[in-house]
């Protein structure tokens, strides 16, 4: 390891030196704890008695070799403080941990799985002109064995792959995004309050099991993204908190040390902390072959505590820039996605040009405006008409990804289907029209599990999705509609190829506030699609749709039908008169001479 790089926040492979590393005749343990009085390693290999560690290099690192320590054995570091007390900590760089509520690290070998995804790695290419349809999910509550609750009902990583991959392919998703899998003590945190930043959660199996899951996904053409949490960590005293008897990873004062979630904020001004986090990011991409990372709570790195009134956090911004630049140098094809609710400019601009270096940013403004619009009754939508046109006034400032994520279906917010205005029967046509609008809008796509079949109950990490509602024809029809829409998106370049080129979008009509009609065109180099919507509760007769330079329209998909029906509409001087049912949307392929 480059010690100078570690201290200055330039190191991306600190995990190759720190942690427990299996050697030919035992295991070497190393940890960074500059303020500890002394440290011992305790574990199964020594009857949980202390094996002293020695100071190495500059005295801030500690090391020992234990001949009897083998893969799979549990261990901790007993860190003696300068006041004479001690506490047992799991390994900050540990590669595996016990299932909660236990908290020991497990010796685990790097390179313990032989990947077979060379073909995927060789051919896989990201690009703004590629389709990106992401299925966001929580591994422990997508499905459960027998539908039961409790940890015995979790599917393992490999069992999950057998069920999930065919589902993703059948439904038309080309990426899956997994909520955080780094070890965490509380199920209710969903993985966003970590104790083991290098340890895949043992809830669903071993590190090798997770690698096999990703390998199997790649074998079937599915990319895998993981949520990564570089802002804060769990307060549990056996983990990073007060690690060497002092605030080594966190701020020393509570006004900055505690986050809005009650967790500890990382102190990003310290090079050792930056090296810890960016090495962890590299670890998941390098060792597990993840195809990308979705960075959580980026606005809390851009601004102090995420509050614009407190000003910019230059250390946080610098950390993001250096991490993203380094990750792109190491993994040019990795997707780096920001969950950022701020209006800070240049999130998806290259670091060399002064930006933060992300590939995509979640469009939280689009999400809030769109859901607010669809929650309103039709008469109020007339006043809200331009909530749906506003996104295109700022869209080309960043490379946006449209997300209807887990955050929108919890905490009393209701599910996407339930958010639709009106009674039960009236919600389905609106939800179909909403998704048609979403997939026609420029930007890449993300949808949370359950949304695709009209989940009615808010997401609960303790229960699987309500798959039984697919026995109801209206939910089954909605699900089949979403399958058609997903596949149509992947198959038609006009819907993705020019997402971030202003030439790829043109308003056909955005001045129908009284009728709640919207029409726009998407295009690629060789294809044009006209999308038209009626978001009122009335039939809109005699609407004149004008599509310049077109000779005819071919219906591709409609929110009113369950299957695609061939329908050709001739254009006279680029115009046609159509009737739009209530709460409806349609895509037309534009034919030219």
């Amino acid at each position: 390891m480059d010690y100078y790089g570690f201290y200055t926040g330039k190191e991306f492979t600190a995990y190759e030196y720190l942690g427990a590393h299996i050697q030919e005749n035992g295991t070497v343990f190393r940890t960074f704890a500059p303020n500890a009085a002394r440290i011992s390693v305790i574990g199964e290999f020594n009857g949980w008695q202390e094996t002293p560690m020695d100071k190495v290099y500059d005295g801030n690192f500690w090391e020992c070799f234990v001949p009897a320590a083998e893969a799979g054995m549990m261990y901790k570091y007993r860190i003696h403080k300068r006041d004479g007390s001690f506490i047992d900590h799991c390994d900050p760089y540990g590669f595996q941990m016990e299932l909660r509520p236990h908290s020991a690290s497990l010796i685990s070998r790097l390179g313990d799985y032989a990947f077979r995804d060379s073909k995927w790695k060789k051919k896989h290419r990201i690009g703004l002109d590629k389709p990106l349809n992401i299925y966001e999910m929580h591994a422990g509550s997508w499905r459960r064995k027998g539908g039961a609750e409790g940890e015995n009902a979790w599917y393992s990583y490999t069992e999950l792959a057998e069920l999930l991959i065919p589902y993703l392919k059948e439904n038309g998703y080309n990426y899956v995004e997994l909520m955080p899998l780094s070890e965490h003590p509380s199920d209710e945190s969903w993985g966003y309050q970590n104790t083991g930043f290098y340890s895949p959660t043992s809830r669903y199996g071993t590190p090798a099991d997770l690698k096999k899951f990703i390998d199997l996904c790649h074998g079937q053409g599915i990319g895998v993204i993981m949520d990564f949490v570089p802002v804060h960590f769990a307060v549990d005293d056996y983990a990073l908190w007060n690690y060497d008897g002092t605030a080594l990873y966190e701020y020393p004062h509570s006004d900055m040390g505690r986050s809005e979630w009650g967790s500890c904020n990382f102190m990003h001004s310290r090079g050792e902390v930056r090296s810890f986090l960016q090495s962890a990011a590299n670890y998941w991409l390098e060792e597990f072959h993840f195809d990308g990372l979705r960075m959580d709570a980026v606005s809390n790195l851009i601004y102090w505590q995420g509050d614009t009134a407190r000003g910019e956090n230059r250390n946080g911004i610098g950390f993001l820039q250096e991490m993203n630049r380094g990750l792109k140098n190491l993994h040019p094809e990795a997707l780096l996605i920001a969950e950022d609710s701020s209006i800070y400019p240049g999130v998806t601009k290259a670091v060399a040009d002064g930006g933060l270096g992300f590939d995509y940013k979640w469009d939280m403004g689009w999400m809030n405006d769109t859901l607010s619009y669809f929650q309103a009754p039709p008469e109020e939508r007339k006043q809200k008409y331009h909530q749906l046109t506003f996104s295109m006034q700022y869209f080309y400032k960043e490379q946006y990804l449209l997300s209807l994520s887990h955050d929108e279906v919890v905490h009393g917010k209701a599910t996407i289907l339930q958010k639709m205005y009106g009674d039960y029967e009236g919600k389905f046509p609106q939800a179909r029209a909403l998704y048609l609008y979403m997939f026609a809008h420029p930007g890449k796509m993300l949808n949370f599990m359950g949304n695709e079949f009209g989940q009615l109950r808010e997401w609960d990490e303790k229960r699987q999705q309500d798959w039984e509602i697919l026995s109801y024809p209206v939910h089954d029809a909605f699900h089949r509609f979403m399958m058609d829409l997903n596949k149509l998106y992947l198959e038609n370049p006009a819907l993705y190829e020019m997402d971030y080129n202003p030439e790829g979008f043109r308003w056909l009509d955005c001045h129908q506030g009284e009728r709640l009609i919207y029409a726009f065109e998407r295009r690629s180099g060789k294809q044009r699609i006209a999308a038209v919507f009626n978001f009122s509760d009335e039939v809109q007769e005699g609407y004149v749709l004008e599509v310049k330079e077109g000779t005819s329209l071919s219906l591709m998909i409609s929110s009113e039908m369950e299957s695609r029906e061939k329908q050709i509409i001739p254009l006279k001087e680029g115009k046609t008169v159509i009737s739009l049912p209530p709460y409806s949307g349609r895509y037309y392929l534009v034919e030219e001479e």
Side-chain angles (χ1 to χ4, degrees):
M1 184 180 72
D2 176 4
Y3 291 100
Y4 179 76
F6 179 79
Y7 282 123
T8 57
K10 306 293 185 183
E11 182 60 57
F12 280 79
T13 59
Y15 68 89
E16 293 181 352
Y17 175 75
L18 292 162
H21 293 272
I22 299 171
Q23 308 291 308
E24 185 175 348
N25 298 310
T27 298
V28 62
F29 298 88
R30 299 189 190 95
T31 193
F32 175 72
N35 294 295
R38 60 188 177 90
I39 304 179
S40 297
V41 63
I42 60 175
E44 290 184 283
F45 39 80
N46 60 10
W48 296 97
Q49 301 303 304
E50 296 191 40
T51 298
M53 301 182 76
D54 299 319
K55 289 186 176 183
V56 294
Y57 185 58
D58 59 359
N60 292 334
F61 297 86
W62 302 74
E63 177 180 305
C64 72
F65 178 77
V66 181
E70 300 175 352
M73 287 185 170
M74 294 182 289
Y75 71 99
K76 284 190 174 185
Y77 296 126
R78 178 160 291 173
I79 298 183
H80 293 263
K81 304 177 186 178
R82 296 185 179 182
D83 63 5
S85 64
F86 70 84
I87 189 167
D88 297 339
H89 283 271
C90 64
D91 189 345
Y93 287 83
F95 304 138
Q96 192 175 354
M97 285 183 71
E98 288 185 282
L99 178 64
R100 54 92 181 105
H102 305 294
S103 56
S105 297
L106 277 70
I107 299 171
S108 182
R109 187 188 302 274
L110 288 178
D112 60 345
Y113 178 83
F115 280 94
R116 301 178 180 178
D117 63 350
S118 58
K119 184 177 179 181
W120 166 268
K121 299 290 280 186
K122 192 175 296 183
K123 291 188 174 182
H124 176 61
R125 294 291 179 269
I126 64 169
L128 300 180
D129 60 346
K130 300 291 192 298
L132 186 59
N133 195 20
I134 304 170
Y135 188 70
E136 186 196 25
M137 62 174 291
H138 178 258
S141 59
W142 180 65
R143 283 190 183 273
R144 289 184 174 233
K145 295 177 181 177
E149 296 185 25
E151 59 194 54
N152 292 330
W154 288 322
Y155 283 105
S156 70
Y157 292 116
T158 50
E159 290 171 333
L160 186 63
E162 294 176 4
L163 298 170
L164 179 65
I165 293 171
Y167 185 82
L168 295 173
K169 291 178 69 67
E170 180 185 14
N171 280 263
Y173 297 98
N174 61 350
Y175 278 80
V176 60
E177 180 178 312
L178 296 156
M179 293 171 70
L181 294 176
S182 43
E183 195 58 84
H184 51 283
S186 173
D187 295 354
E188 290 78 9
S189 82
W190 311 332
Y192 291 101
Q193 295 195 15
N194 294 170
T195 50
F197 279 77
Y198 292 79
S199 299
T201 179
S202 54
R203 287 166 175 82
Y204 319 122
T206 67
D209 292 335
L210 176 56
K211 292 172 183 177
K212 184 175 181 180
F213 169 89
I214 296 167
D215 202 15
L216 291 170
C217 286
H218 288 170
Q220 294 298 315
I222 303 294
V224 188
I225 301 166
M226 189 182 80
D227 270 12
F228 182 68
V229 188
V231 176
H232 59 117
F233 59 89
V235 299
D236 301 74
D237 60 4
Y238 63 80
L240 295 182
W241 178 78
N242 211 34
Y243 181 69
D244 65 353
T246 67
L248 182 61
Y249 289 92
E250 70 272 28
Y251 288 90
H253 304 294
S254 60
D255 60 337
M256 284 307 302
R258 289 301 172 99
S259 73
E260 63 190 89
W261 304 284
S263 49
C264 295
N265 283 324
F266 279 111
M267 189 171 180
H268 296 93
S269 59
R270 297 193 65 155
E272 307 96 305
V273 171
R274 296 199 299 273
S275 289
F276 171 81
L277 288 168
Q278 60 202 25
S279 291
N282 178 46
Y283 168 77
W284 295 107
L285 297 173
E286 178 67 30
E287 302 295 332
F288 288 82
H289 290 201
F290 276 101
D291 299 287
L293 300 172
R294 176 267 198 186
M295 307 282 186
D296 182 59
V298 167
S299 58
N300 284 57
L301 284 168
I302 296 174
Y303 299 100
W304 291 105
Q305 300 283 52
D307 183 357
T308 56
R310 300 182 72 168
E312 292 181 6
N313 178 356
R314 298 309 305 176
N315 291 318
I317 291 170
F319 159 70
L320 284 172
Q321 290 175 318
E322 290 305 312
M323 177 175 65
N324 288 346
R325 176 158 49 193
L327 291 176
K328 278 297 184 181
N329 286 338
L330 293 167
H331 308 281
E333 296 301 322
L335 290 166
L336 302 178
I337 302 169
E339 188 261 323
D340 171 31
S341 57
S342 77
I343 58 171
Y344 183 83
V347 172
T348 56
K349 185 185 291 185
V351 175
D353 297 325
L356 298 187
F358 286 97
D359 295 293
Y360 298 106
K361 171 181 173 173
W362 279 17
D363 194 343
M364 312 295 277
W366 172 88
M367 177 274 297
N368 282 311
D369 286 345
T370 300
L371 293 181
S372 169
Y373 180 95
F374 278 90
Q375 285 173 300
E379 56 271 19
E380 292 184 16
R381 292 178 186 176
K382 294 178 181 180
Q383 286 73 51
K384 292 174 173 280
Y385 181 80
H386 285 294
Q387 279 189 200
L388 295 194
T389 64
F390 177 65
S391 60
M392 293 311 301
Q393 295 185 35
Y394 64 79
F395 183 81
Y396 297 108
K397 293 180 179 180
E398 300 282 2
Q399 288 154 201
Y400 283 110
L401 184 153
L402 308 186
S403 62
L404 293 178
S405 73
H406 68 276
D407 275 330
E408 315 321 319
V409 297
V410 291
H411 302 319
K413 297 177 183 176
T415 64
I416 300 301
L417 182 69
Q418 288 283 43
K419 290 182 202 294
M420 301 298 101
Y421 170 76
D423 60 18
Y424 173 72
E425 295 293 338
K427 292 179 184 295
F428 287 92
Q430 292 184 80
R432 290 194 296 270
L434 160 66
Y435 276 107
L436 274 178
Y437 161 69
M438 175 181 179
F439 277 71
H441 192 289
K444 308 310 179 186
M445 303 293 150
L446 179 145
N447 204 24
F448 185 60
M449 64 180 188
N451 291 347
E452 76 274 17
F453 55 79
Q455 177 87 350
L456 296 170
R457 173 183 57 82
E458 287 185 342
W459 173 56
D460 178 352
E461 77 283 345
K462 295 183 290 295
R463 296 173 56 184
Q464 72 168 7
Q465 297 301 286
D466 294 335
W467 298 99
E468 62 274 12
I469 65 175
L470 284 170
S471 63
Y472 293 87
V474 67
H475 287 275
D476 180 63
F478 184 79
H479 188 204
R480 286 187 281 111
F481 168 81
M482 289 299 298
M483 288 184 187
D484 282 348
L485 179 57
N486 286 332
K487 293 172 183 177
L488 184 143
Y489 166 77
L490 294 178
E491 294 165 0
N492 288 274
L495 297 175
Y496 59 79
E497 191 175 273
M498 298 175 68
D499 274 334
Y500 308 104
N501 182 339
E503 297 298 317
F505 176 91
R506 181 177 66 176
W507 282 111
L508 300 177
D509 193 350
C510 58
H511 302 288
Q512 297 287 335
E514 286 300 311
R515 303 177 76 179
L516 300 182
I517 294 173
Y518 303 79
F520 55 83
E521 183 180 305
R522 295 297 310 280
R523 64 171 62 195
S524 65
K526 297 181 179 180
Q527 188 184 50
R528 297 170 62 192
I529 293 175
V532 59
F533 306 93
N534 170 22
F535 294 140
S536 77
D537 59 351
E538 299 177 350
V539 177
Q540 298 297 332
E541 300 279 6
Y543 174 66
V544 179
L545 176 64
E546 182 175 2
V547 183
K548 295 178 180 179
E549 301 166 359
T551 57
S552 66
L553 302 176
S554 176
L555 183 64
M556 303 174 72
I557 191 170
S558 166
S559 61
E560 311 134 59
M561 64 184 187
E562 297 178 6
S563 60
R564 302 176 196 178
E565 300 170 354
K566 193 69 174 177
Q567 181 182 338
I568 306 296
I569 301 174
L571 294 173
K572 186 175 182 180
E573 298 180 349
K575 298 179 182 179
T576 186
V577 179
I578 58 176
S579 174
L580 297 170
Y583 304 136
S584 65
R586 299 172 183 173
Y587 294 173
Y588 293 103
L589 186 66
V590 181
E591 303 290 351
E592 300 176 356
E593 288 183 335

